[in-house]
Amino acid sequence: MIVDEFGQAERLLEKSIEVKSTWATEETAPFPFAEYYKNMAHIRLYQGKTTEAIDLMSRARKMLSDTKGIDAGATMLFSFILGNMHFCVGSIQESLEEHERTLALRKAKLGDQDPYTLDSYHALAVVLHKLGNLNAAA
């Protein structure tokens, strides 16, 4: 997305959450609101508003974890995204912890060879490489 388009995306997301708020709340329909927070987190990340991005993504993941469970597919995806965001903003230890948890959940729920599990192996290896732990990353 071109940087100039983030403002337009933000306006559209704000309009969509406004419409959703007319028929639901975070309590009655958590997923659409969590999806909104996830999308806004991406926008904030690309705008360089990293603290707000992490807060929004954490909120989105917590909403799903609280309602769907920590090992629900959407929750694991949001955890994976949160781990990636931590990596992008330089919070490498938080990224490591998030990706370790997500990998463990995906292995238990999806198996060792599932494409999502393989994504988690890759993300964890990238973080370990960044930390200089090349043996563990291999």
Side-chain angles (χ1 to χ4, degrees), residues 20-59:
K20 289 171 188 167
S21 295
T22 65
W23 56 265
T25 66
E26 290 183 11
E27 292 75 28
T28 62
F31 185 79
F33 289 87
E35 184 73 11
Y36 162 77
Y37 294 128
K38 174 187 67 84
N39 291 332
M40 286 301 294
H42 281 99
I43 289 173
R44 294 296 181 252
L45 182 65
Y46 293 118
Q47 290 173 331
K49 299 176 181 177
T50 57
T51 300
E52 188 176 351
I54 296 295
D55 289 348
L56 286 165
M57 195 65 227
S58 297
R59 181 176 181 180

PDB file of all heavy atoms in Angstrom, residues 20-59:
ATOM      1  N   LYS A  20     -20.602  -1.235  12.222  1.00  0.00           N
ATOM      2  CA  LYS A  20     -20.699  -2.449  13.041  1.00  0.00           C
ATOM      3  C   LYS A  20     -21.213  -2.130  14.442  1.00  0.00           C
ATOM      4  O   LYS A  20     -21.934  -2.929  15.042  1.00  0.00           O
ATOM      5  CB  LYS A  20     -19.339  -3.144  13.134  1.00  0.00           C
ATOM      6  CG  LYS A  20     -18.920  -3.785  11.844  1.00  0.00           C
ATOM      7  CD  LYS A  20     -17.494  -4.271  11.906  1.00  0.00           C
ATOM      8  CE  LYS A  20     -17.070  -4.721  10.519  1.00  0.00           C
ATOM      9  NZ  LYS A  20     -15.627  -4.922  10.411  1.00  0.00           N
ATOM     10  N   SER A  21     -20.854  -0.972  14.951  1.00  0.00           N
ATOM     11  CA  SER A  21     -21.273  -0.580  16.297  1.00  0.00           C
ATOM     12  C   SER A  21     -22.768  -0.335  16.388  1.00  0.00           C
ATOM     13  O   SER A  21     -23.316  -0.299  17.490  1.00  0.00           O
ATOM     14  CB  SER A  21     -20.516   0.673  16.742  1.00  0.00           C
ATOM     15  OG  SER A  21     -19.145   0.388  16.856  1.00  0.00           O
ATOM     16  N   THR A  22     -23.435  -0.191  15.261  1.00  0.00           N
ATOM     17  CA  THR A  22     -24.885  -0.007  15.286  1.00  0.00           C
ATOM     18  C   THR A  22     -25.625  -1.322  15.503  1.00  0.00           C
ATOM     19  O   THR A  22     -26.778  -1.314  15.917  1.00  0.00           O
ATOM     20  CB  THR A  22     -25.406   0.652  13.991  1.00  0.00           C
ATOM     21  OG1 THR A  22     -25.182  -0.224  12.882  1.00  0.00           O
ATOM     22  CG2 THR A  22     -24.756   2.007  13.754  1.00  0.00           C
ATOM     23  N   TRP A  23     -24.986  -2.449  15.229  1.00  0.00           N
ATOM     24  CA  TRP A  23     -25.644  -3.743  15.388  1.00  0.00           C
ATOM     25  C   TRP A  23     -24.949  -4.686  16.359  1.00  0.00           C
ATOM     26  O   TRP A  23     -25.460  -5.769  16.639  1.00  0.00           O
ATOM     27  CB  TRP A  23     -25.844  -4.441  14.046  1.00  0.00           C
ATOM     28  CG  TRP A  23     -24.598  -4.649  13.218  1.00  0.00           C
ATOM     29  CD1 TRP A  23     -24.131  -3.836  12.232  1.00  0.00           C
ATOM     30  CD2 TRP A  23     -23.669  -5.735  13.300  1.00  0.00           C
ATOM     31  NE1 TRP A  23     -22.967  -4.343  11.712  1.00  0.00           N
ATOM     32  CE2 TRP A  23     -22.658  -5.517  12.339  1.00  0.00           C
ATOM     33  CE3 TRP A  23     -23.576  -6.874  14.104  1.00  0.00           C
ATOM     34  CZ2 TRP A  23     -21.586  -6.376  12.149  1.00  0.00           C
ATOM     35  CZ3 TRP A  23     -22.501  -7.747  13.911  1.00  0.00           C
ATOM     36  CH2 TRP A  23     -21.522  -7.488  12.938  1.00  0.00           C
ATOM     37  N   ALA A  24     -23.778  -4.283  16.865  1.00  0.00           N
ATOM     38  CA  ALA A  24     -23.063  -5.189  17.770  1.00  0.00           C
ATOM     39  C   ALA A  24     -22.141  -4.397  18.690  1.00  0.00           C
ATOM     40  O   ALA A  24     -21.887  -3.207  18.473  1.00  0.00           O
ATOM     41  CB  ALA A  24     -22.251  -6.195  16.960  1.00  0.00           C
ATOM     42  N   THR A  25     -21.632  -5.107  19.689  1.00  0.00           N
ATOM     43  CA  THR A  25     -20.621  -4.552  20.594  1.00  0.00           C
ATOM     44  C   THR A  25     -19.437  -5.518  20.611  1.00  0.00           C
ATOM     45  O   THR A  25     -19.526  -6.634  20.096  1.00  0.00           O
ATOM     46  CB  THR A  25     -21.162  -4.410  22.031  1.00  0.00           C
ATOM     47  OG1 THR A  25     -21.412  -5.734  22.553  1.00  0.00           O
ATOM     48  CG2 THR A  25     -22.432  -3.575  22.072  1.00  0.00           C
ATOM     49  N   GLU A  26     -18.368  -5.106  21.268  1.00  0.00           N
ATOM     50  CA  GLU A  26     -17.217  -5.994  21.410  1.00  0.00           C
ATOM     51  C   GLU A  26     -17.596  -7.271  22.153  1.00  0.00           C
ATOM     52  O   GLU A  26     -17.022  -8.328  21.905  1.00  0.00           O
ATOM     53  CB  GLU A  26     -16.073  -5.290  22.142  1.00  0.00           C
ATOM     54  CG  GLU A  26     -15.427  -4.202  21.334  1.00  0.00           C
ATOM     55  CD  GLU A  26     -14.239  -3.564  22.038  1.00  0.00           C
ATOM     56  OE1 GLU A  26     -13.774  -4.089  23.080  1.00  0.00           O
ATOM     57  OE2 GLU A  26     -13.774  -2.526  21.550  1.00  0.00           O
ATOM     58  N   GLU A  27     -18.551  -7.172  23.038  1.00  0.00           N
ATOM     59  CA  GLU A  27     -18.968  -8.326  23.827  1.00  0.00           C
ATOM     60  C   GLU A  27     -19.862  -9.270  23.025  1.00  0.00           C
ATOM     61  O   GLU A  27     -19.774 -10.486  23.172  1.00  0.00           O
ATOM     62  CB  GLU A  27     -19.702  -7.886  25.105  1.00  0.00           C
ATOM     63  CG  GLU A  27     -18.803  -7.187  26.114  1.00  0.00           C
ATOM     64  CD  GLU A  27     -18.449  -5.745  25.724  1.00  0.00           C
ATOM     65  OE1 GLU A  27     -19.239  -5.087  25.009  1.00  0.00           O
ATOM     66  OE2 GLU A  27     -17.369  -5.285  26.119  1.00  0.00           O
ATOM     67  N   THR A  28     -20.756  -8.726  22.191  1.00  0.00           N
ATOM     68  CA  THR A  28     -21.692  -9.576  21.455  1.00  0.00           C
ATOM     69  C   THR A  28     -21.109 -10.124  20.157  1.00  0.00           C
ATOM     70  O   THR A  28     -21.551 -11.163  19.686  1.00  0.00           O
ATOM     71  CB  THR A  28     -22.995  -8.811  21.130  1.00  0.00           C
ATOM     72  OG1 THR A  28     -22.694  -7.687  20.296  1.00  0.00           O
ATOM     73  CG2 THR A  28     -23.697  -8.368  22.404  1.00  0.00           C
ATOM     74  N   ALA A  29     -20.140  -9.449  19.582  1.00  0.00           N
ATOM     75  CA  ALA A  29     -19.514  -9.897  18.331  1.00  0.00           C
ATOM     76  C   ALA A  29     -18.036  -9.517  18.341  1.00  0.00           C
ATOM     77  O   ALA A  29     -17.620  -8.585  17.651  1.00  0.00           O
ATOM     78  CB  ALA A  29     -20.234  -9.283  17.126  1.00  0.00           C
ATOM     79  N   PRO A  30     -17.240 -10.215  19.146  1.00  0.00           N
ATOM     80  CA  PRO A  30     -15.848  -9.803  19.304  1.00  0.00           C
ATOM     81  C   PRO A  30     -15.004  -9.881  18.036  1.00  0.00           C
ATOM     82  O   PRO A  30     -14.101  -9.067  17.842  1.00  0.00           O
ATOM     83  CB  PRO A  30     -15.302 -10.742  20.386  1.00  0.00           C
ATOM     84  CG  PRO A  30     -16.270 -11.854  20.485  1.00  0.00           C
ATOM     85  CD  PRO A  30     -17.584 -11.357  19.990  1.00  0.00           C
ATOM     86  N   PHE A  31     -15.274 -10.853  17.157  1.00  0.00           N
ATOM     87  CA  PHE A  31     -14.382 -11.017  16.017  1.00  0.00           C
ATOM     88  C   PHE A  31     -14.329  -9.797  15.099  1.00  0.00           C
ATOM     89  O   PHE A  31     -13.226  -9.364  14.735  1.00  0.00           O
ATOM     90  CB  PHE A  31     -14.701 -12.277  15.206  1.00  0.00           C
ATOM     91  CG  PHE A  31     -13.690 -12.495  14.117  1.00  0.00           C
ATOM     92  CD1 PHE A  31     -12.448 -13.049  14.410  1.00  0.00           C
ATOM     93  CD2 PHE A  31     -13.955 -12.117  12.821  1.00  0.00           C
ATOM     94  CE1 PHE A  31     -11.497 -13.213  13.427  1.00  0.00           C
ATOM     95  CE2 PHE A  31     -13.006 -12.276  11.824  1.00  0.00           C
ATOM     96  CZ  PHE A  31     -11.774 -12.837  12.127  1.00  0.00           C
ATOM     97  N   PRO A  32     -15.450  -9.197  14.698  1.00  0.00           N
ATOM     98  CA  PRO A  32     -15.337  -8.025  13.822  1.00  0.00           C
ATOM     99  C   PRO A  32     -14.566  -6.869  14.464  1.00  0.00           C
ATOM    100  O   PRO A  32     -13.827  -6.153  13.776  1.00  0.00           O
ATOM    101  CB  PRO A  32     -16.790  -7.616  13.548  1.00  0.00           C
ATOM    102  CG  PRO A  32     -17.604  -8.811  13.861  1.00  0.00           C
ATOM    103  CD  PRO A  32     -16.845  -9.583  14.899  1.00  0.00           C
ATOM    104  N   PHE A  33     -14.707  -6.722  15.758  1.00  0.00           N
ATOM    105  CA  PHE A  33     -13.979  -5.657  16.451  1.00  0.00           C
ATOM    106  C   PHE A  33     -12.494  -6.003  16.561  1.00  0.00           C
ATOM    107  O   PHE A  33     -11.634  -5.141  16.376  1.00  0.00           O
ATOM    108  CB  PHE A  33     -14.608  -5.390  17.822  1.00  0.00           C
ATOM    109  CG  PHE A  33     -15.944  -4.712  17.723  1.00  0.00           C
ATOM    110  CD1 PHE A  33     -17.105  -5.448  17.576  1.00  0.00           C
ATOM    111  CD2 PHE A  33     -16.038  -3.329  17.745  1.00  0.00           C
ATOM    112  CE1 PHE A  33     -18.342  -4.823  17.463  1.00  0.00           C
ATOM    113  CE2 PHE A  33     -17.273  -2.688  17.632  1.00  0.00           C
ATOM    114  CZ  PHE A  33     -18.425  -3.439  17.485  1.00  0.00           C
ATOM    115  N   ALA A  34     -12.198  -7.268  16.843  1.00  0.00           N
ATOM    116  CA  ALA A  34     -10.796  -7.695  16.893  1.00  0.00           C
ATOM    117  C   ALA A  34     -10.144  -7.512  15.525  1.00  0.00           C
ATOM    118  O   ALA A  34      -8.991  -7.069  15.428  1.00  0.00           O
ATOM    119  CB  ALA A  34     -10.705  -9.144  17.350  1.00  0.00           C
ATOM    120  N   GLU A  35     -10.856  -7.831  14.482  1.00  0.00           N
ATOM    121  CA  GLU A  35     -10.348  -7.653  13.116  1.00  0.00           C
ATOM    122  C   GLU A  35     -10.071  -6.175  12.841  1.00  0.00           C
ATOM    123  O   GLU A  35      -9.059  -5.826  12.226  1.00  0.00           O
ATOM    124  CB  GLU A  35     -11.361  -8.216  12.112  1.00  0.00           C
ATOM    125  CG  GLU A  35     -10.914  -8.187  10.684  1.00  0.00           C
ATOM    126  CD  GLU A  35      -9.847  -9.223  10.345  1.00  0.00           C
ATOM    127  OE1 GLU A  35      -9.577 -10.125  11.155  1.00  0.00           O
ATOM    128  OE2 GLU A  35      -9.275  -9.104   9.252  1.00  0.00           O
ATOM    129  N   TYR A  36     -10.949  -5.320  13.291  1.00  0.00           N
ATOM    130  CA  TYR A  36     -10.733  -3.871  13.158  1.00  0.00           C
ATOM    131  C   TYR A  36      -9.453  -3.448  13.874  1.00  0.00           C
ATOM    132  O   TYR A  36      -8.617  -2.729  13.308  1.00  0.00           O
ATOM    133  CB  TYR A  36     -11.940  -3.110  13.718  1.00  0.00           C
ATOM    134  CG  TYR A  36     -11.665  -1.658  14.017  1.00  0.00           C
ATOM    135  CD1 TYR A  36     -11.608  -0.715  12.998  1.00  0.00           C
ATOM    136  CD2 TYR A  36     -11.435  -1.236  15.325  1.00  0.00           C
ATOM    137  CE1 TYR A  36     -11.338   0.611  13.271  1.00  0.00           C
ATOM    138  CE2 TYR A  36     -11.169   0.089  15.602  1.00  0.00           C
ATOM    139  CZ  TYR A  36     -11.119   1.010  14.576  1.00  0.00           C
ATOM    140  OH  TYR A  36     -10.843   2.331  14.860  1.00  0.00           O
ATOM    141  N   TYR A  37      -9.273  -3.897  15.119  1.00  0.00           N
ATOM    142  CA  TYR A  37      -8.064  -3.528  15.871  1.00  0.00           C
ATOM    143  C   TYR A  37      -6.806  -4.049  15.186  1.00  0.00           C
ATOM    144  O   TYR A  37      -5.782  -3.374  15.146  1.00  0.00           O
ATOM    145  CB  TYR A  37      -8.147  -4.020  17.314  1.00  0.00           C
ATOM    146  CG  TYR A  37      -9.225  -3.337  18.120  1.00  0.00           C
ATOM    147  CD1 TYR A  37     -10.157  -4.083  18.832  1.00  0.00           C
ATOM    148  CD2 TYR A  37      -9.327  -1.954  18.152  1.00  0.00           C
ATOM    149  CE1 TYR A  37     -11.165  -3.452  19.566  1.00  0.00           C
ATOM    150  CE2 TYR A  37     -10.317  -1.321  18.885  1.00  0.00           C
ATOM    151  CZ  TYR A  37     -11.236  -2.073  19.585  1.00  0.00           C
ATOM    152  OH  TYR A  37     -12.229  -1.458  20.300  1.00  0.00           O
ATOM    153  N   LYS A  38      -6.880  -5.263  14.648  1.00  0.00           N
ATOM    154  CA  LYS A  38      -5.737  -5.825  13.917  1.00  0.00           C
ATOM    155  C   LYS A  38      -5.396  -4.962  12.707  1.00  0.00           C
ATOM    156  O   LYS A  38      -4.229  -4.628  12.481  1.00  0.00           O
ATOM    157  CB  LYS A  38      -6.026  -7.247  13.473  1.00  0.00           C
ATOM    158  CG  LYS A  38      -4.934  -7.840  12.569  1.00  0.00           C
ATOM    159  CD  LYS A  38      -5.315  -9.186  11.991  1.00  0.00           C
ATOM    160  CE  LYS A  38      -6.437  -9.155  11.019  1.00  0.00           C
ATOM    161  NZ  LYS A  38      -6.073  -8.825   9.640  1.00  0.00           N
ATOM    162  N   ASN A  39      -6.402  -4.599  11.950  1.00  0.00           N
ATOM    163  CA  ASN A  39      -6.156  -3.786  10.763  1.00  0.00           C
ATOM    164  C   ASN A  39      -5.617  -2.407  11.122  1.00  0.00           C
ATOM    165  O   ASN A  39      -4.709  -1.891  10.458  1.00  0.00           O
ATOM    166  CB  ASN A  39      -7.425  -3.679   9.915  1.00  0.00           C
ATOM    167  CG  ASN A  39      -7.798  -4.995   9.280  1.00  0.00           C
ATOM    168  OD1 ASN A  39      -6.953  -5.839   9.020  1.00  0.00           O
ATOM    169  ND2 ASN A  39      -9.081  -5.179   9.024  1.00  0.00           N
ATOM    170  N   MET A  40      -6.170  -1.818  12.174  1.00  0.00           N
ATOM    171  CA  MET A  40      -5.661  -0.514  12.617  1.00  0.00           C
ATOM    172  C   MET A  40      -4.232  -0.638  13.145  1.00  0.00           C
ATOM    173  O   MET A  40      -3.417   0.265  12.966  1.00  0.00           O
ATOM    174  CB  MET A  40      -6.572   0.081  13.691  1.00  0.00           C
ATOM    175  CG  MET A  40      -7.899   0.610  13.158  1.00  0.00           C
ATOM    176  SD  MET A  40      -7.712   1.904  11.898  1.00  0.00           S
ATOM    177  CE  MET A  40      -6.975   3.201  12.868  1.00  0.00           C
ATOM    178  N   ALA A  41      -3.915  -1.769  13.757  1.00  0.00           N
ATOM    179  CA  ALA A  41      -2.549  -1.994  14.232  1.00  0.00           C
ATOM    180  C   ALA A  41      -1.570  -1.979  13.062  1.00  0.00           C
ATOM    181  O   ALA A  41      -0.482  -1.399  13.161  1.00  0.00           O
ATOM    182  CB  ALA A  41      -2.466  -3.318  14.989  1.00  0.00           C
ATOM    183  N   HIS A  42      -1.960  -2.602  11.954  1.00  0.00           N
ATOM    184  CA  HIS A  42      -1.099  -2.575  10.771  1.00  0.00           C
ATOM    185  C   HIS A  42      -0.896  -1.151  10.261  1.00  0.00           C
ATOM    186  O   HIS A  42       0.221  -0.755   9.921  1.00  0.00           O
ATOM    187  CB  HIS A  42      -1.676  -3.457   9.665  1.00  0.00           C
ATOM    188  CG  HIS A  42      -1.400  -4.905   9.868  1.00  0.00           C
ATOM    189  ND1 HIS A  42      -2.316  -5.760  10.403  1.00  0.00           N
ATOM    190  CD2 HIS A  42      -0.296  -5.643   9.619  1.00  0.00           C
ATOM    191  CE1 HIS A  42      -1.790  -6.968  10.469  1.00  0.00           C
ATOM    192  NE2 HIS A  42      -0.561  -6.922   9.998  1.00  0.00           N
ATOM    193  N   ILE A  43      -1.957  -0.391  10.226  1.00  0.00           N
ATOM    194  CA  ILE A  43      -1.837   0.997   9.775  1.00  0.00           C
ATOM    195  C   ILE A  43      -0.917   1.774  10.701  1.00  0.00           C
ATOM    196  O   ILE A  43      -0.015   2.489  10.249  1.00  0.00           O
ATOM    197  CB  ILE A  43      -3.230   1.657   9.672  1.00  0.00           C
ATOM    198  CG1 ILE A  43      -3.989   1.070   8.477  1.00  0.00           C
ATOM    199  CG2 ILE A  43      -3.105   3.181   9.542  1.00  0.00           C
ATOM    200  CD1 ILE A  43      -5.424   1.516   8.370  1.00  0.00           C
ATOM    201  N   ARG A  44      -1.123   1.636  12.010  1.00  0.00           N
ATOM    202  CA  ARG A  44      -0.276   2.351  12.975  1.00  0.00           C
ATOM    203  C   ARG A  44       1.188   1.929  12.843  1.00  0.00           C
ATOM    204  O   ARG A  44       2.095   2.751  12.944  1.00  0.00           O
ATOM    205  CB  ARG A  44      -0.764   2.130  14.398  1.00  0.00           C
ATOM    206  CG  ARG A  44      -2.122   2.731  14.682  1.00  0.00           C
ATOM    207  CD  ARG A  44      -2.099   4.253  14.570  1.00  0.00           C
ATOM    208  NE  ARG A  44      -3.408   4.795  14.869  1.00  0.00           N
ATOM    209  CZ  ARG A  44      -4.228   5.316  13.959  1.00  0.00           C
ATOM    210  NH1 ARG A  44      -3.856   5.375  12.689  1.00  0.00           N
ATOM    211  NH2 ARG A  44      -5.399   5.783  14.315  1.00  0.00           N
ATOM    212  N   LEU A  45       1.432   0.655  12.603  1.00  0.00           N
ATOM    213  CA  LEU A  45       2.800   0.179  12.434  1.00  0.00           C
ATOM    214  C   LEU A  45       3.454   0.873  11.243  1.00  0.00           C
ATOM    215  O   LEU A  45       4.569   1.382  11.346  1.00  0.00           O
ATOM    216  CB  LEU A  45       2.813  -1.341  12.241  1.00  0.00           C
ATOM    217  CG  LEU A  45       4.186  -1.988  12.096  1.00  0.00           C
ATOM    218  CD1 LEU A  45       4.993  -1.848  13.379  1.00  0.00           C
ATOM    219  CD2 LEU A  45       4.025  -3.462  11.726  1.00  0.00           C
ATOM    220  N   TYR A  46       2.768   0.928  10.139  1.00  0.00           N
ATOM    221  CA  TYR A  46       3.333   1.549   8.944  1.00  0.00           C
ATOM    222  C   TYR A  46       3.436   3.062   9.072  1.00  0.00           C
ATOM    223  O   TYR A  46       4.216   3.686   8.375  1.00  0.00           O
ATOM    224  CB  TYR A  46       2.530   1.145   7.710  1.00  0.00           C
ATOM    225  CG  TYR A  46       2.679  -0.321   7.403  1.00  0.00           C
ATOM    226  CD1 TYR A  46       1.582  -1.173   7.417  1.00  0.00           C
ATOM    227  CD2 TYR A  46       3.933  -0.883   7.140  1.00  0.00           C
ATOM    228  CE1 TYR A  46       1.720  -2.523   7.152  1.00  0.00           C
ATOM    229  CE2 TYR A  46       4.075  -2.230   6.877  1.00  0.00           C
ATOM    230  CZ  TYR A  46       2.967  -3.040   6.875  1.00  0.00           C
ATOM    231  OH  TYR A  46       3.110  -4.383   6.627  1.00  0.00           O
ATOM    232  N   GLN A  47       2.647   3.637   9.966  1.00  0.00           N
ATOM    233  CA  GLN A  47       2.752   5.080  10.232  1.00  0.00           C
ATOM    234  C   GLN A  47       3.872   5.386  11.224  1.00  0.00           C
ATOM    235  O   GLN A  47       4.137   6.541  11.514  1.00  0.00           O
ATOM    236  CB  GLN A  47       1.420   5.615  10.791  1.00  0.00           C
ATOM    237  CG  GLN A  47       0.301   5.635   9.784  1.00  0.00           C
ATOM    238  CD  GLN A  47      -1.039   6.000  10.414  1.00  0.00           C
ATOM    239  OE1 GLN A  47      -1.291   5.745  11.592  1.00  0.00           O
ATOM    240  NE2 GLN A  47      -1.910   6.593   9.617  1.00  0.00           N
ATOM    241  N   GLY A  48       4.496   4.353  11.767  1.00  0.00           N
ATOM    242  CA  GLY A  48       5.559   4.551  12.742  1.00  0.00           C
ATOM    243  C   GLY A  48       5.050   4.750  14.160  1.00  0.00           C
ATOM    244  O   GLY A  48       5.829   5.088  15.054  1.00  0.00           O
ATOM    245  N   LYS A  49       3.776   4.540  14.392  1.00  0.00           N
ATOM    246  CA  LYS A  49       3.185   4.663  15.728  1.00  0.00           C
ATOM    247  C   LYS A  49       3.223   3.286  16.394  1.00  0.00           C
ATOM    248  O   LYS A  49       2.208   2.622  16.573  1.00  0.00           O
ATOM    249  CB  LYS A  49       1.767   5.210  15.623  1.00  0.00           C
ATOM    250  CG  LYS A  49       1.719   6.592  14.986  1.00  0.00           C
ATOM    251  CD  LYS A  49       0.300   7.080  14.790  1.00  0.00           C
ATOM    252  CE  LYS A  49       0.287   8.450  14.132  1.00  0.00           C
ATOM    253  NZ  LYS A  49      -1.071   8.920  13.859  1.00  0.00           N
ATOM    254  N   THR A  50       4.434   2.881  16.744  1.00  0.00           N
ATOM    255  CA  THR A  50       4.666   1.495  17.123  1.00  0.00           C
ATOM    256  C   THR A  50       4.011   1.093  18.443  1.00  0.00           C
ATOM    257  O   THR A  50       3.499  -0.021  18.562  1.00  0.00           O
ATOM    258  CB  THR A  50       6.173   1.208  17.161  1.00  0.00           C
ATOM    259  OG1 THR A  50       6.805   2.115  18.071  1.00  0.00           O
ATOM    260  CG2 THR A  50       6.796   1.383  15.782  1.00  0.00           C
ATOM    261  N   THR A  51       4.017   1.966  19.418  1.00  0.00           N
ATOM    262  CA  THR A  51       3.391   1.634  20.697  1.00  0.00           C
ATOM    263  C   THR A  51       1.902   1.408  20.510  1.00  0.00           C
ATOM    264  O   THR A  51       1.339   0.421  21.026  1.00  0.00           O
ATOM    265  CB  THR A  51       3.638   2.748  21.739  1.00  0.00           C
ATOM    266  OG1 THR A  51       5.046   2.896  21.920  1.00  0.00           O
ATOM    267  CG2 THR A  51       2.982   2.423  23.067  1.00  0.00           C
ATOM    268  N   GLU A  52       1.264   2.278  19.757  1.00  0.00           N
ATOM    269  CA  GLU A  52      -0.166   2.120  19.503  1.00  0.00           C
ATOM    270  C   GLU A  52      -0.435   0.853  18.695  1.00  0.00           C
ATOM    271  O   GLU A  52      -1.411   0.146  18.946  1.00  0.00           O
ATOM    272  CB  GLU A  52      -0.716   3.347  18.766  1.00  0.00           C
ATOM    273  CG  GLU A  52      -2.216   3.337  18.649  1.00  0.00           C
ATOM    274  CD  GLU A  52      -2.782   4.594  18.006  1.00  0.00           C
ATOM    275  OE1 GLU A  52      -2.044   5.568  17.788  1.00  0.00           O
ATOM    276  OE2 GLU A  52      -3.988   4.582  17.711  1.00  0.00           O
ATOM    277  N   ALA A  53       0.445   0.547  17.748  1.00  0.00           N
ATOM    278  CA  ALA A  53       0.282  -0.670  16.944  1.00  0.00           C
ATOM    279  C   ALA A  53       0.304  -1.916  17.829  1.00  0.00           C
ATOM    280  O   ALA A  53      -0.574  -2.784  17.717  1.00  0.00           O
ATOM    281  CB  ALA A  53       1.372  -0.747  15.879  1.00  0.00           C
ATOM    282  N   ILE A  54       1.284  -1.992  18.704  1.00  0.00           N
ATOM    283  CA  ILE A  54       1.397  -3.151  19.596  1.00  0.00           C
ATOM    284  C   ILE A  54       0.201  -3.227  20.539  1.00  0.00           C
ATOM    285  O   ILE A  54      -0.355  -4.304  20.770  1.00  0.00           O
ATOM    286  CB  ILE A  54       2.725  -3.109  20.386  1.00  0.00           C
ATOM    287  CG1 ILE A  54       3.924  -3.229  19.444  1.00  0.00           C
ATOM    288  CG2 ILE A  54       2.756  -4.179  21.477  1.00  0.00           C
ATOM    289  CD1 ILE A  54       4.043  -4.541  18.706  1.00  0.00           C
ATOM    290  N   ASP A  55      -0.223  -2.081  21.062  1.00  0.00           N
ATOM    291  CA  ASP A  55      -1.383  -2.062  21.962  1.00  0.00           C
ATOM    292  C   ASP A  55      -2.646  -2.554  21.255  1.00  0.00           C
ATOM    293  O   ASP A  55      -3.411  -3.346  21.815  1.00  0.00           O
ATOM    294  CB  ASP A  55      -1.617  -0.652  22.517  1.00  0.00           C
ATOM    295  CG  ASP A  55      -0.557  -0.225  23.515  1.00  0.00           C
ATOM    296  OD1 ASP A  55       0.244  -1.078  23.974  1.00  0.00           O
ATOM    297  OD2 ASP A  55      -0.499   0.994  23.823  1.00  0.00           O
ATOM    298  N   LEU A  56      -2.860  -2.089  20.027  1.00  0.00           N
ATOM    299  CA  LEU A  56      -4.046  -2.505  19.273  1.00  0.00           C
ATOM    300  C   LEU A  56      -4.010  -3.995  18.952  1.00  0.00           C
ATOM    301  O   LEU A  56      -5.011  -4.700  19.091  1.00  0.00           O
ATOM    302  CB  LEU A  56      -4.170  -1.691  17.981  1.00  0.00           C
ATOM    303  CG  LEU A  56      -4.630  -0.247  18.141  1.00  0.00           C
ATOM    304  CD1 LEU A  56      -4.359   0.548  16.869  1.00  0.00           C
ATOM    305  CD2 LEU A  56      -6.112  -0.204  18.500  1.00  0.00           C
ATOM    306  N   MET A  57      -2.837  -4.478  18.530  1.00  0.00           N
ATOM    307  CA  MET A  57      -2.728  -5.897  18.180  1.00  0.00           C
ATOM    308  C   MET A  57      -2.868  -6.766  19.420  1.00  0.00           C
ATOM    309  O   MET A  57      -3.508  -7.824  19.378  1.00  0.00           O
ATOM    310  CB  MET A  57      -1.397  -6.153  17.471  1.00  0.00           C
ATOM    311  CG  MET A  57      -1.336  -7.485  16.760  1.00  0.00           C
ATOM    312  SD  MET A  57      -2.520  -7.560  15.422  1.00  0.00           S
ATOM    313  CE  MET A  57      -3.240  -9.171  15.739  1.00  0.00           C
ATOM    314  N   SER A  58      -2.324  -6.322  20.534  1.00  0.00           N
ATOM    315  CA  SER A  58      -2.476  -7.057  21.795  1.00  0.00           C
ATOM    316  C   SER A  58      -3.943  -7.114  22.210  1.00  0.00           C
ATOM    317  O   SER A  58      -4.430  -8.159  22.668  1.00  0.00           O
ATOM    318  CB  SER A  58      -1.641  -6.402  22.898  1.00  0.00           C
ATOM    319  OG  SER A  58      -0.272  -6.453  22.588  1.00  0.00           O
ATOM    320  N   ARG A  59      -4.632  -5.999  22.047  1.00  0.00           N
ATOM    321  CA  ARG A  59      -6.058  -5.947  22.391  1.00  0.00           C
ATOM    322  C   ARG A  59      -6.856  -6.906  21.512  1.00  0.00           C
ATOM    323  O   ARG A  59      -7.719  -7.633  21.998  1.00  0.00           O
ATOM    324  CB  ARG A  59      -6.564  -4.518  22.226  1.00  0.00           C
ATOM    325  CG  ARG A  59      -8.012  -4.340  22.576  1.00  0.00           C
ATOM    326  CD  ARG A  59      -8.416  -2.889  22.485  1.00  0.00           C
ATOM    327  NE  ARG A  59      -9.812  -2.699  22.848  1.00  0.00           N
ATOM    328  CZ  ARG A  59     -10.423  -1.537  22.849  1.00  0.00           C
ATOM    329  NH1 ARG A  59      -9.759  -0.447  22.518  1.00  0.00           N
ATOM    330  NH2 ARG A  59     -11.688  -1.449  23.193  1.00  0.00           N
TER     331      ARG A  59
END
